[in-house]
Amino acid sequence: MADDKPTMRITTPADLAGAVPHMVGYQPDNNQIAILGFHGPNYIGSAVHTWAADLGEGPAHTAEVTDHIVRAFGDRANSYLAIGYGPEGPERALLFQDAFTQHTGTQAQAWAVDNDRLQLFSPDRGWSPEVDLETTAGTEYAMVTGAQPAATREELTRQYEPVPEDQQAHLHPDTAQRLATMAPTAQYEWASRALSEGAESKTGLTDEQVAVIAHATATSVHIRDNLLADVVGDSIKADRLVDVFRRCDDARRPDMADLAGASQFITRGSTVAIEAITRHTTGALGRKANHAATLGLDPQPLIDSIDPNDLRQRLTAADRQHYRSHVMNHSLLLSSPDPRASNKPAPGIRHQIGKGPGAWMDMDR
């Protein structure tokens, strides 16, 4: 991607608090708490928790949520900041500050935001005077880029909905036929190349690239698993797969929801995105990705279990099955000169069951 992409310069607490909506994708409301993780001075990631009325005793609840968040960040974060929103924000931020301090053994910070006014908590001085958040680095970033965070979590969720049917990407019939006759390795290589080119392009994926990736993913779980391996450590590719999920035809959307949801999980994407995408899957991979993200599990064990060499060997085995099916089909046609004779083709590999990377792929699809 272009190196001249605008960045947000954070120099003050107000800049950081004003940037949170851009970090999480939407403006947290008055019953939410944003948790920011850091490693030294470096920002690592964020999580947003919704404080519902039926959550029970505050300290016990915050301890449970804190455990989920700390497990999600793993060793990547060594300090945390809790920002409570709305009139109850200060009290809830302090509850999370205490929970993170007890859980990690390091001092966490507590801030509060209400009506675009920021307060910082200090153990010796209490809450600071309010600071205006109307003009911050986040405001300037939005003006330069035109990128505005969603007003609410619900609005952000709607951004992951599939496009209308008349906007879906379809392959030309000749291209679809050509792709369908190719061995799985060749299909994967075509789809992988399309994904890489789309990730490098400022304009994203073309309709043909979207359709090729969706068709290949739906053809074989081995193609899907190899594309998942391509995404490790590459959030841009993961976001392009979300685009494929949204723009592909309805028949292939469940398979793309599996791949796009898992890709967001292994690149530590938004839990909002994972939940919205995996609503459309019928496969175990997407459902487990959403469940793991909801629990705050660290994706690193899954990432570590992905062995590209093993996945390519599985593709090679699928190629052999494809070749045997092709030979069998051809032989049946040659041995059936009578048009009334049966020439039913042998089964293909579309629904071939196999193991993918780690325990995550050892499941019924």
Side-chain angles (χ1 to χ4, degrees):
M1 301 299 288
D3 295 329
D4 58 351
K5 181 179 179 180
T7 57
M8 196 181 307
R9 183 173 177 80
I10 306 296
T11 59
T12 67
D15 283 338
L16 181 56
V20 169
H22 293 273
M23 295 172 176
V24 302
Y26 65 96
Q27 175 62 55
D29 64 26
N30 285 351
N31 66 337
Q32 293 181 315
I33 302 94
I35 307 296
L36 276 58
F38 299 86
H39 192 93
N42 299 317
Y43 167 73
I44 301 300
S46 57
V48 178
H49 174 66
T50 300
W51 194 286
D54 58 349
L55 292 179
E57 185 181 357
H61 174 70
T62 53
E64 180 181 357
V65 175
T66 295
D67 178 64
H68 289 168
I69 294 174
V70 170
R71 284 191 287 120
F73 279 100
D75 295 336
R76 297 180 303 126
N78 57 16
S79 64
Y80 295 89
L81 164 64
I83 306 178
Y85 289 83
E88 306 298 324
E91 178 183 353
R92 293 167 180 169
L94 288 177
L95 284 172
F96 274 97
Q97 180 190 52
D98 292 344
F100 275 101
T101 299
Q102 293 175 14
H103 195 291
T104 65
T106 59
Q107 184 65 44
Q109 297 184 65
W111 296 3
V113 174
D114 187 25
N115 289 324
D116 286 329
R117 307 283 293 179
L118 169 68
Q119 289 182 286
L120 314 181
F121 182 80
S122 171
D124 52 346
R125 294 189 297 272
W127 289 101
S128 69
E130 295 181 340
V131 176
D132 190 3
L133 290 182
E134 288 186 359
T135 304
T136 67
T139 307
E140 296 174 2
Y141 177 81
M143 292 176 62
V144 171
T145 63
Q148 294 283 356
T152 64
R153 180 187 177 99
E154 291 71 25
E155 181 180 310
L156 178 61
T157 298
R158 288 193 290 272
Q159 296 179 11
Y160 295 99
E161 292 180 354
V163 301
E165 186 175 357
D166 61 354
Q167 297 178 24
Q168 294 175 4
H170 297 273
L171 277 183
H172 186 279
D174 291 344
T175 306
Q177 177 62 25
R178 176 188 170 199
L179 183 68
T181 60
M182 296 170 67
T185 293
Q187 290 195 43
Y188 157 70
E189 290 173 348
W190 191 354
S192 180
R193 184 168 59 253
L195 181 60
S196 296
E197 291 172 353
E200 294 169 358
S201 170
K202 292 182 179 180
T203 58
L205 295 160
T206 66
D207 280 353
E208 181 175 282
Q209 289 170 333
V210 166
V212 164
I213 294 169
H215 274 251
T217 299
T219 297
S220 167
V221 294
H222 303 304
I223 297 174
R224 180 202 69 185
D225 293 350
N226 275 271
L227 288 172
L228 182 63
D230 286 349
V231 171
V232 172
D234 195 328
S235 60
I236 296 175
K237 285 185 176 180
D239 289 343
R240 291 292 188 262
L241 288 177
V242 174
D243 189 36
V244 177
F245 153 77
R246 295 187 63 243
R247 294 166 56 194
C248 71
D249 61 277
D250 292 334
R252 292 163 182 81
R253 184 162 290 109
D255 296 288
M256 280 309 308
D258 254 8
L259 176 57
S263 296
Q264 286 295 308
F265 177 67
I266 67 172
T267 55
R268 297 182 169 88
S270 165
T271 55
V272 177
I274 297 170
E275 178 184 3
I277 293 166
T278 56
R279 288 175 186 172
H280 297 266
T281 185
T282 56
L285 177 62
R287 293 197 303 269
K288 289 206 169 191
N290 182 50
H291 186 61
T294 301
L295 291 177
L297 300 183
D298 187 352
Q300 194 60 49
L302 172 59
I303 295 170
D304 293 340
S305 74
I306 296 176
D307 182 350
N309 291 329
D310 177 63
L311 294 178
R312 290 306 296 266
Q313 290 176 9
R314 294 168 192 252
L315 265 183
T316 301
D319 286 346
R320 290 195 291 269
Q321 175 64 30
H322 173 86
Y323 176 74
R324 285 194 294 268
S325 297
H326 175 75
V327 171
M328 179 64 70
N329 293 346
H330 189 62
S331 299
L332 286 170
L333 289 172
L334 290 178
S335 61
S336 303
D338 186 341
R340 293 169 297 178
S342 172
N343 59 3
K344 182 179 178 181
I349 63 167
R350 174 181 172 84
H351 298 294
Q352 183 176 331
I353 301 299
K355 293 183 178 180
W360 272 71
M361 305 301 176
D362 296 338
M363 58 188 71
D364 293 333
R365 293 167 172 81

